[in-house]
Amino acid sequence: MRAASSPACLSPLLLCLCVLQRSYGTPSPPSPTFTHNQTKLPDGDKDSHHRPKRGWIWNQFFVLEEHIGPDAQYVGKLHSNSDKGDGSVQYLLSGEGAGTIFTINELTGDIHAKKSLDREKKSHYVLHARAVDRFTNRAVEPESEFIIKVQDVNDNAPKFPDGPFSASVPEMADIGTSVFQITATDADDPTYGNSAKIVYSILQGQPFFAVDPKTGVIRTALPNMDRETREMYSVIIQAKDMAGSVGGLSGSTTVNISLTDVNDNPPRFPQKNYQLYVPESAQVGKAVGKIKANDEDLGVNAEMTYRITNEEGAAMFSISTDSDKREGVISLRKPLDYEKKKAYSLNIEGVNTHLDPRFSYLGPFKDTTTLKLIIGDVDEAPVFTMDYYIMDVYENAPAGTEVGMVTAQDPDSTRSKVRYSIEQIADGDALFTIDVDSGLITTTKSLDREEVAWHNITVMAAEIDNPNLVSYVPVTVQVLDVNDNAPYIATDSALVLCEGSKAGQVIQIIRATDKDNFANGRFTFALPEDLPVNPNFTLKDNEDSSASVLARRQGFSQAEQELYQLLVVVWDGGEPVLSSTSTLTLRVCPCQRGARTPVCRAQAFLSSAGLSTGALIAILLCVLILLAIVVLFVTLRSKKSKKEPLIISAEDIRENVVTYDDEGGGEEDTEAFDIAALRNPAAAEEMRMRKNLQSELWRSMGTEALSPALTLPDEDIHEVIKLKVVEADRDTSGPPYDSLQTYAYEGRGSPSGSISSLDLPETQTELDLSEVDNWGPEVQILSRVFQEKGQQHVP
């Protein structure tokens, strides 16, 4: 509210000014601050009376805001001690609002505000005052700065800029629980008077809530407020300035307070007894019903679990919790049988999962109910006495042979008659049939165990009164074995016969095969009795369903005969006894040394096994490349020989040309350099061993006559040459081309004797010819040749 009297008399300061004005009759500035400091005058000005002047320093003036009177509001007065009242001093005003808001009387120095001011927009103005001589325009007083401050009045009510507000508090909270703090704002000056001093009060929301008048904190005022009874509260809060006194301005806002849920309500089943119908055909593991307990709480506070508490019910049924719908889903554990039990009783309990111990005094947070399940009778399919059947029948049995019988019954009380049938296979002939009334299974044709040993069929049983009710059972029929297949020896490949095999040596162990069951007994082996005795091989029954092929002689040669055949008869131990004759093929070949089983060695280059066309072309290309390299090498050598002497010294070495200073040692000198050692070192080593062996054989068999120059002067050397020719022709390890061998003959010897070491006496050692068989086929052939020649020369 605005004052109706003069604004100059409203404030205490202006009131004092009014009193002074009435006492002296002349207006004076409101509370100007004077100092006694001397103020310098402009140059040339001298006080004729030499009287010190009072300085004029103005601090501030006050003016009330919101002035609505018809006249300009008086602010204050400027006055200089130099003013004699004759109008010679002129007062000037400059600064903020000078001339527009504030005006000054140039003669008297009175300042007025001609506009209404708003402190909330601008709280003060800075101005400057001067006093000059009107006639000379010289400064009487220096420029002085002062402030006009706008004095506040209570013209702004408290406000809630962010309202309305929302808050929450847990239900069942204690008295004095803090809910929310509210704060109002007031645009008035908080440092002047009580215009901005706010007090809070509650206009609506009692007696549930209260507010602190100073802080604005809202608190609960009643205990045990229940969310389930009332959830929302609308509270109106008022803020009043002037410390709440009469005449103060006020503002209000709304705070919407909601109660949040706590677990203060146990679950409750709507009924204490329930009843549910379940057909006996219900599937195991499937849901048969649902049950639900109510809980007035929300969220996790209403979550619960269900369980079946009685043993009989828990054995047949299970219950699970649907957390979304908060239901208990009842499922079947075992098959139901109306004929055995027609009803079940379940004790079901629902319990909260999240308990709050603060509210345990409200009682147990669980509830129980009883569910009775009535089992309904359903017409069921026939039931077989067994889950599966295993039957057997002998092979080769005639059609119509009985295999076995299946049995099924109607589980219902009506005991309807059952008819049987065999489920037909989409493809293939039916091997079995069944009697529709008795369930007897018989064969439709003769069965062969060696073709199919097990047969799987499916038997169906259906009620005559209701053919749609069908049950199935698997039946497995085993075909029993009879001795209807003769044994035989599998001869996929020829048996390996080593050239070095000895008489009585095991060549191979053979075994028989029989398509019949192993229960027919062991196998027996023998050579055919109606054939003459085999001169090369014999057979030994090992009495363990195997036989050993033995060699009767030694000295098999691939060159003489590569393949041999041997007939072997094998009998089984079944009833009746069956036998067969198998022809074994034995292939003679040189065997690898050190092998556990006889294995033929690889044949010479381009052997009888043959090479493919691609391999031959590759070999030819390699040969051509080698020839080109040799030609190139010879050409380079020929060019080089033109520059270098052909013979370096008189003792130049050439192939097969050896120079000795003595008379020589006979034919032994021809082996001083053997070109075969360069072509095939392994063959050269083997040739050396054969020659050493030959020397031993000659000495052991007394064939010294073959060396006429030494011991047999009566024997012609031509016999020796013929023998060497035969030896060279039969030597399979030599190169595949003719060679020239020179045998020097010097006659019957010199009367002075020979200087060669060949005829020196040496100790003759006995040679075990049985070891020769292990030295390879070449040595064996040489041994056989020497034996034959030795027998011819022995008188």
Side-chain angles (χ1 to χ4, degrees), residues 503-515:
Q505 181 178 345
V506 177
I507 298 174
Q508 190 77 28
I509 296 178
I510 59 175
R511 300 183 184 275
T513 302
D514 196 334
K515 294 182 179 179

Side-chain angles (χ1 to χ4, degrees), residues 526-534 566-571 579-583:
L527 298 178
E529 297 180 355
D530 54 347
L531 297 179
V533 177
N534 193 310
L566 179 64
L567 298 180
V568 178
V569 182
V570 58
W571 294 269
S579 64
S580 67
T581 301
S582 301
T583 301

